[in-house]
Amino acid sequence: MRLDQTELPGFDDLHAPIGVIQQAEKLTAEHYQTGASMFLVGGSTVGNLAMLSAFCLPRVPVIVQRDVHQSIIHGLEMIGVDVVFVSPTFDEQTGLSKGVSLQTLTAAIDAYQEAEVVVLSSPSYFGNVGEIERVVQYAKMNNKRVLVDEAHGAHLHSDEQFPLSSLKAGADVVVQSAHKTLPALTMGAYLHVRNKDDEQRIRPWLRRFQSSSPSYVIMASLDAARAYVAEVGSKELQGDCGRFMMN
Ligand SMILES: Cc1ncc(COP(=O)(O)O)c(C=O)c1O
């Protein structure tokens, strides 16, 4: 219980960080090589709502991968976006999603050139990133902003052995549930922006969606999870990967 602090002098403020929280977020940005990284205490759910609110407009088409999490659907619904759903492809043997193919995205962009935003979910629940690099690069070449729900991929960035992270693929905004694949407490998540200027578009929405009394225990665990992947994780994760593959 002693860890459960609040915005007292020296403890900074998640919604306007200038002290220890700013330092922790900066270290996270350094690790993930982003323009800025923000801590989330309400899971990827809150990050998805904030990124959509920052970049989507009512009655404007947005290209959206069909098998997204309910938080994306809820965000699109609240904003009143004209959603253009694009189907993922499925692995023939397992029937599992492999994400949106380049062919599908190309057809969607041709048909809805006025769409300015593409929303993807990568990796799939089983770790498949499909053609993420080609898809993101094609969307960027066509001047689309790419928002990715990477809830299950906070670990991908840390090791070349893993499938490609959407940040490395070139996405503009990426949300990750650190609590799913890193040792962070439940609800701990990150929101990353490639372009530092986008931070100012996102933060006001995080202020609206997140508690004004964010949990310091969750925030501390996000800092610890970052330290883990940055300092020791890669080797341990490689070992775990090897063990899983052998089994
Ligand atoms: C693909 C995907 N996106 C977003 C979320 C929401 O994440 P969180 O539980 O961190 O709010 C989940 C949760 O299971 C998910 O599977």
Side-chain angles (χ1 to χ4, degrees), residues 54-77:
F55 295 109
C56 301
L57 291 168
R59 293 178 299 284
V60 175
V62 171
I63 298 171
V64 182
Q65 180 172 334
R66 182 175 282 280
D67 59 335
V68 283
H69 183 255
Q70 57 176 328
S71 53
I72 298 276
I73 303 293
H74 293 155
L76 296 167
E77 187 186 30

Side-chain angles (χ1 to χ4, degrees), residues 11-178:
F11 286 113
D12 208 0
D13 176 354
L14 178 64
H15 295 290
I18 50 165
V20 288
I21 297 174
Q22 183 187 48
Q23 273 173 33
E25 288 188 334
K26 249 187 170 164
L27 289 169
T28 308
E30 273 167 34
H31 174 68
Y32 285 95
Q33 296 163 305
T34 61
S37 295
M38 287 154 258
F39 282 3
L40 308 174
V41 293
S44 286
T45 296
V46 85
N48 286 340
L49 295 175
M51 78 173 172
L52 294 172
S53 303
F55 295 109
C56 301
L57 291 168
R59 293 178 299 284
V60 175
V62 171
I63 298 171
V64 182
Q65 180 172 334
R66 182 175 282 280
D67 59 335
V68 283
H69 183 255
Q70 57 176 328
S71 53
I72 298 276
I73 303 293
H74 293 155
L76 296 167
E77 187 186 30
M78 279 195 310
I79 300 161
V81 167
D82 272 353
V83 183
V84 178
F85 280 120
V86 286
S87 287
T89 49
F90 295 95
D91 183 80
E92 272 179 27
Q93 247 188 340
T94 60
L96 298 173
S97 171
K98 294 199 295 184
V100 175
S101 70
L102 180 60
Q103 193 183 10
T104 305
L105 184 76
T106 306
I109 288 182
D110 280 353
Y112 294 91
Q113 289 176 14
E114 67 276 33
E116 290 175 4
V117 174
V118 174
V119 181
L120 302 170
S121 182
S122 179
S124 70
Y125 288 99
F126 295 90
N128 199 324
V129 301
E131 297 184 63
I132 188 72
E133 188 165 26
R134 297 171 76 198
V135 165
V136 171
Q137 288 304 318
Y138 186 78
K140 300 294 302 165
M141 256 166 43
N142 284 274
N143 298 318
K144 312 298 177 203
R145 198 183 290 271
V146 182
L147 316 180
V148 182
D149 174 1
E150 197 174 59
H152 295 264
H155 62 303
L156 297 182
H157 189 86
S158 310
D159 200 292
E160 299 295 321
Q161 267 195 54
F162 294 135
L164 193 71
S165 74
S166 5
L167 280 169
K168 285 188 183 157
D172 296 295
V173 185
V174 175
V175 172
Q176 301 169 331
S177 296

